[in-house]
Amino acid sequence: MTKKNTSKVVTKKLSEMVPKSTLANEAVLYKCEPTYWLFMPKWLRFIFGWITVLLFGFSFLTIPMCGVFLIPYVWRVAPVTAAIGVASVIASMLMPLKEWPWVRKVGQLWYEIFQFSANKSPEELMESIEYGDDHQLVMCMHPHGIVPYHAGLWAAYADQYMSDPTTGRALYGFGAAADAVGYVPGLRNIMGWLSAGSASYKVLKAGITKGISQACNAAGRKPRHLYILPGGVAEIFTSTPGRHTIVFKKRRGLVRLSIETGAQLVPCYVFGGTDFFHNLATDAGFFARLSRMCRAGVTIFWGRFGLPIPFCPRVTCVLGDPIVPPVWVKSSETERVPEILIDEMHAEFLVQMKALFEKYKAAAGYPDAELEVM
């Protein structure tokens, strides 16, 4: 693991209010508290937290684990276990995708394990909720990482802190994942419970413009906002402890979507997001090429004890300000967004992302880190 900064960090509890003038100049972080689970003693929260951390991580290994059931020897020595395994796979694939709001609260159990903190004060969070009433937002989170535990942390954070129970207003929208996830037993269900669906352009546009999202609609909800990891599969292969890389230099799809729909892009960076595991396959090797063919991440990774058990880096999520897209009116069905508008907004997004990274890197424990854009 990369050595972290041991200098004093300005960290506050989210219950503390800080003057806005202070926030503008200081890299203040706010420690997140698992309020839903505080009825449990801390040691019990750790036990349940680790159980869910392992279950989430192992869900990314479902395909190779299912391969075991194809081995005749397994059926000879453990027929009942094999039958239960196959039945579970079939049940998972037949289960309709439907969001389950309670699952978002599971991520609160991970706060203490990963020392999770964020950069929004209670005042700013309330302003964001109000802003979201009149504007649609696309939360663009980098990096993807190998197993994105920060996606679960984000779901818990958005559910807990970016909603107003007194009015019912919330910024929790719908998520996006690689299409291949929809064919992975177990993982497809978890993603559905967390309101995630296909990351195809057509599906994302329908979600933003019409509130169409399979998992959300099945629960009777029409989402307004989008959460996505834009680096996708490509960022899996830049993920290794101590490296801070985002893959966005040649990616224009989200920018085009923003201009077409008017939804505003919100830069988001997660410090610690690449420190959960070591990665055998990095950059443009065989596994990267295979993954592009499969449209899913294929790699070999390990954490504690050489097993797929994650390390426990300190995880910090920092959100930037929304980037307002230029006004563009489509005059015909075949007209496309002008490339100059896409290039300008794309450049602005990268400027904002780099500024966000530089502002908070020391407070997050990475004072010497450099952000690489690919």
Side-chain angles (χ1 to χ4, degrees), residues 138-142 228-231 235 246-249 251-252 254-256 258 263-269 318-324 341-357 371 373:
V138 179
M139 312 293 182
C140 305
M141 181 177 285
H142 292 276
I228 190 170
L229 296 161
E235 275 184 2
I246 68 172
V247 178
F248 201 76
K249 186 178 291 185
R251 302 202 166 196
R252 301 289 197 272
L254 272 184
V255 177
R256 177 178 286 108
S258 172
Q264 302 177 14
L265 303 185
V266 180
C268 177
Y269 191 85
V318 294
L319 292 162
D321 295 325
I323 300 174
V324 181
L341 295 182
I342 295 175
D343 291 342
E344 289 175 355
M345 188 175 179
H346 183 273
E348 178 63 19
F349 178 87
L350 290 180
V351 167
Q352 294 296 331
M353 180 64 79
K354 291 176 181 178
L356 187 68
F357 182 90
L371 182 63
V373 179

Side-chain angles (χ1 to χ4, degrees), residues 90-99 188-189 192-193 214-215 218:
I90 295 174
S92 170
M93 298 304 294
L94 293 177
M95 189 180 300
L97 296 181
K98 180 180 180 180
E99 70 173 3
R188 69 183 294 273
N189 306 105
W193 295 336
Q214 181 181 356

Side-chain angles (χ1 to χ4, degrees), residues 140-151:
C140 305
M141 181 177 285
H142 292 276
H144 185 287
I146 300 173
V147 176
Y149 285 105
H150 39 295

Side-chain angles (χ1 to χ4, degrees), residues 5 22 43 59 64 72 106 136 141 143 158 174 193 201 244 329 351 367:
N5 179 32
T22 302
W43 63 269
S59 70
V106 172
Q136 288 183 281
M141 181 177 285
F174 70 106
W193 295 336
Y201 192 90
H244 299 269
V329 180
V351 167

Side-chain angles (χ1 to χ4, degrees), residues 125 129 139 154 157-158 160-164 170-172 319:
L125 287 168
I129 294 170
M139 312 293 182
W154 163 260
Y157 178 77
Q160 180 181 2
Y161 293 115
M162 305 185 87
S163 61
D164 183 358
L171 290 184
Y172 197 97
L319 292 162

